């Protein structure tokens, strides 16, 4: 079709989900990631990670108390959020998410209680219960996006795994920062457990690679052929459009490639300062990723 | 001296007291009131359902079977928009805005318009848009509180008192039909003027249309105008690939205007 075509009249539509939802996804991700880290020692028995178990579970609970506040504030009718607790729609992903969002923090609190009581058997049981809940509480965030069939950027089965991997990435990054802060400022000997930090850094580096891989697969699929499709335009929004700086520089370069090199290059990887810097960059990058995916998915108009 | 037991006890008491107080204060200022602010901008929930029953989202699949409407003996409201007649006067858009008091910047119904070719060899095409009243509506599936619901005569309505304004229905709607009404602070969309339909009247856009391009009626009645038009003309719906089975049918629509419009500059 080479004929000229211009729009004489059309109406604009708002972007329904915004920064608050992106922030909410970010917080649940951090929480789920921290929880998984805490189970490394207390469920799977990696003694090396024992020092972070309690910190991680406290973080997971605090962040998960903050997270739903963003959801509630994002509602047009915040005072009606109680409706969601007793009106159940079994076909709605948000309804299931509500159950997850209620059960997961409760389980975290019980798990943490037994952990602080040094009751290893019960800790293990509730840790095992918590893993599917943690996967659920963040996996459903991915499903919320991937089940929207009309938004090309969201409607992919890669979305839940991508969200889960980025959750672990952000959880590990935050945990590194918190462990360093705690051991540097809040312990008697002010000595940082270097071994622990570096092994966390290794986890961070390789989950980061998985994260970048999933993003790459997704974009390759969206852009490979059919340049007239909405999927292509949605992906191009990230690569060339208004979100390009946030995506290419914020998410991929500063939040992905740079921290990976910092964490794996032999000349830089043996410094606590560099690991700290990499973790901060990763946290910023994952936040950029949440914003890119939540906001960017809605930016191609439907009509 | 404060023991731990004492501390926990008093902390628990303080929490309960604070919660009670907070609920009391919220009730006083009307925030914790689960009951709707009836009649301010919209009729009550049962008025909106009229004499129709609603179908729970869980039962939608069962309802899509061939026998449902026979059993229910209900109408199935649908609209045919005959684009051979539409002149693009935007009257439907204006009357809808007036009738439903739609705030500025939002549309329950609107008319898209494009121009193909370069003048003098140009032609205009129009596409009146409204909620498609899908048989299997994504918004009803997505709604966490079942505020969006489909009536047994096929009209998708929003029970405003139950809507919490999570905006997920706006994100999933393939037709961009929904918006958050900034005054009512709930989702809103075209509902075939459902209070008028219940009274036996036509939707305002159908009534106002000067060229009778919009035809409204009952699909279960084989002799109704919509049934005849759909039977005797090649019709098209918007985004059939979504599987939503829209019940707004277009006769003679233009390919370029039906979805997202991509502007083209000619050579």
């Amino acid at each position: 079709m080479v004929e000229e075509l211009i729009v004489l009249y059309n109406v604009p539509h708002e972007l329904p989900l915004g920064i608050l939802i992106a922030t909410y996804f970010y917080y649940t991700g951090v929480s789920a990631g921290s929880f998984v880290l805490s189970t490394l020692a207390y469920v799977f028995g990696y003694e090396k990670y024992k020092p972070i178990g309690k910190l991680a579970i406290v973080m997971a609970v605090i962040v998960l108390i903050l997270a739903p506040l963003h959801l509630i504030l994002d509602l047009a009718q915040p005072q009606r959020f109680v409706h969601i607790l007793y009106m159940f729609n079994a076909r709605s992903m948000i309804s299931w998410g509500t159950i997850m969002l209620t059960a997961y923090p409760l389980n975290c609190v019980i798990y943490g209680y037994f952990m602080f009581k040094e009751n290893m058997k019960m800790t293990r049981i509730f840790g095992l219960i918590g893993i599917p809940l943690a996967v659920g509480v963040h996996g459903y965030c991915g499903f919320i996006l991937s089940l929207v069939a009309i938004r090309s950027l969201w409607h992919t089965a890669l979305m839940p795994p991508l969200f889960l991997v980025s959750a672990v990435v952000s959880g590990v990054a935050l945990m590194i920062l918190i462990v360093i802060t705690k051991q540097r400022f809040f312990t008697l000997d002010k000595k940082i457990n270097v071994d622990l930090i570096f092994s966390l850094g290794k986890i961070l580096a390789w989950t980061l690679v998985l994260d970048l891989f999933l993003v790459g697969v997704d974009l390759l699929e969206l852009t490979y052929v059919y340049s007239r499709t909405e999927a292509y335009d949605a992906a191009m929004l990230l690569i060339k459009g208004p979100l390009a700086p946030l995506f290419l520089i914020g998410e991929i370069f500063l939040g992905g490639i740079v921290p990976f090199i910092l964490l794996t290059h032999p000349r830089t990887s043996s410094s606590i300062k560099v690991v700290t810097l990499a973790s901060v960059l990763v946290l910023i990058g994952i936040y950029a990723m949440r914003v890119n995916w939540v906001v960017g998915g809605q930016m191609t108009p439907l009509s | 001296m404060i023991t731990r037991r004492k501390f926990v006890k008093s902390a628990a008491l303080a929490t309960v007291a604070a919660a009670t107080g907070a609920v009391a204060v919220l009730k006083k200022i009307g925030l914790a009131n689960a009951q709707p602010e009836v009649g301010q901008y919209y009729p009550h929930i049962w008025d909106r359902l009229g004499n129709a029953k609603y179908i729970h989202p869980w039962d939608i699949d069962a309802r899509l079977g061939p026998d449902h409407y026979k059993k229910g003996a209900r109408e199935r409201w649908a609209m045919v928009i005959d684009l051979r007649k539409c002149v693009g006067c935007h009257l439907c858009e204006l009357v809808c805005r007036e009738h439903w008091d739609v705030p500025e910047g939002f549309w329950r119904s609107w008319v898209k318009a494009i121009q193909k070719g370069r003048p003098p060899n140009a032609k205009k095409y129009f596409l009146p848009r409204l909620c498609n009243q899908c048989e299997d509506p994504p918004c009803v599936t997505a709604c966490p509180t079942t505020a969006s619901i489909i009536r047994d005569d096929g009209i998708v309505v929003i029970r405003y008192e139950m809507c919490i304004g999570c905006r997920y229905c706006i994100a999933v709607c393939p037709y961009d039909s929904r918006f958050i009404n900034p005054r009512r602070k709930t989702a809103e969309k075209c509902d075939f003027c459902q209070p008028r339909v219940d009274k036996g009247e036509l939707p305002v856009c159908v009534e106002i249309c000067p060229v009778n391009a919009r035809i409204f009626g009952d699909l279960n009645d084989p002799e109704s105008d919509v049934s005849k038009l759909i039977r005797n003309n090649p019709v098209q719906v918007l985004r059939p690939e979504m599987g939503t089975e829209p019940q707004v049918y277009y006769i003679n629509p233009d390919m370029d205007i039906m979805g997202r419009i991509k502007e083209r500059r000619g050579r």
Side-chain angles (χ1 to χ4, degrees), chain A residues 139-214:
Chain A
Y140 108 90
C141 296
F143 272 117
I144 277 191
L145 299 191
S146 77
L147 291 180
V148 180
I150 191 61
R151 312 275 175 182
S152 312
L153 198 61
W154 294 353
H155 187 49
T156 155
L158 275 184
M159 202 49 76
L162 177 61
F163 265 56
L164 287 174
V165 172
S166 57
V168 174
V169 171
S170 59
V172 176
L174 188 69
M175 202 36 63
I176 290 177
L177 290 182
I178 288 182
V179 170
I180 289 176
T181 318
K182 187 205 161 198
Q183 296 188 341
R184 178 74 181 75
F185 298 108
F186 296 100
T187 48
L188 289 177
D189 52 358
K190 307 221 182 295
K191 227 179 88 193
I192 294 174
N193 185 344
V194 180
D195 261 8
L196 176 68
I197 299 294
F198 288 149
S199 64
L200 283 177
K202 284 246 162 51
I203 298 180
L204 180 60
W206 295 110
T207 44
L208 204 53
V209 171
L210 191 54
D211 186 55
L212 288 176
F213 168 73
L214 287 174

Side-chain angles (χ1 to χ4, degrees), chain A residues 196-272:
Chain A
L196 176 68
I197 299 294
F198 288 149
S199 64
L200 283 177
K202 284 246 162 51
I203 298 180
L204 180 60
W206 295 110
T207 44
L208 204 53
V209 171
L210 191 54
D211 186 55
L212 288 176
F213 168 73
L214 287 174
V215 171
V217 169
D218 196 13
L219 285 186
L220 189 65
E221 197 217 316
L222 289 175
T223 53
Y224 191 55
V225 277
Y226 309 130
S227 66
R228 305 292 292 181
T229 56
E230 293 177 7
Y232 182 84
D233 281 6
M236 276 305 154
L237 198 78
L238 293 179
I239 296 171
K240 286 198 298 202
L243 286 177
L246 196 59
F247 178 71
L248 290 178
I249 300 174
E251 180 183 339
I252 299 296
F253 185 69
L254 286 180
I257 295 169
V258 170
F260 176 71
I261 292 174
L262 287 180
L263 287 169
T264 49
H265 195 278
R267 288 183 63 179
T268 52
S269 61
S270 52
S271 151
I272 291 288

Side-chain angles (χ1 to χ4, degrees), chain A residues 3-9 13-14 16 74 76-77 79-80 87 89 91-92 95 144 151 233 301-302, chain B residues 31 57 93 111 113 115 117-118 140 142-144 160 163 165 167-168 171 176 180 184-185 239 260 263-264:
Chain A
E3 204 178 0
E4 188 166 296
L5 185 150
I6 56 171
V7 178
L8 296 177
Y9 185 81
H13 292 276
E14 60 183 322
D74 186 67
Q77 298 265 6
Q79 76 279 14
R80 286 190 190 169
M87 290 173 182
N89 177 3
R91 289 182 82 186
S92 171
S95 276
I144 277 191
R151 312 275 175 182
D233 281 6
L302 300 179
Chain B
L31 277 179
E93 185 178 326
V111 182
Q115 173 179 298
R118 187 174 296 170
V140 171
C143 181
Y160 297 132
C163 176
R167 297 182 176 86
Y168 193 42
D176 260 349
I180 292 281
R184 191 192 293 131
K185 294 191 171 28
R239 295 195 187 272
R260 179 189 50 143
E263 290 208 337
R264 293 193 294 263

Side-chain angles (χ1 to χ4, degrees), chain A residues 15 23 54 69 77 107 116 166 230 234 239 246 249 278 291 295:
Chain A
L15 306 183
T23 314
K54 288 174 182 170
L69 290 182
Q77 298 265 6
N107 183 78
F116 280 95
S166 57
E230 293 177 7
I239 296 171
L246 196 59
I249 300 174
V291 174
V295 177

Side-chain angles (χ1 to χ4, degrees), chain A residues 71-89:
Chain A
L71 274 189
I72 291 170
L73 284 178
D74 186 67
L75 298 179
Q77 298 265 6
Q79 76 279 14
R80 286 190 190 169
F81 81 96
V82 282
H83 284 21
I84 212 170
L85 300 176
Y86 60 89
M87 290 173 182
F88 185 71
N89 177 3

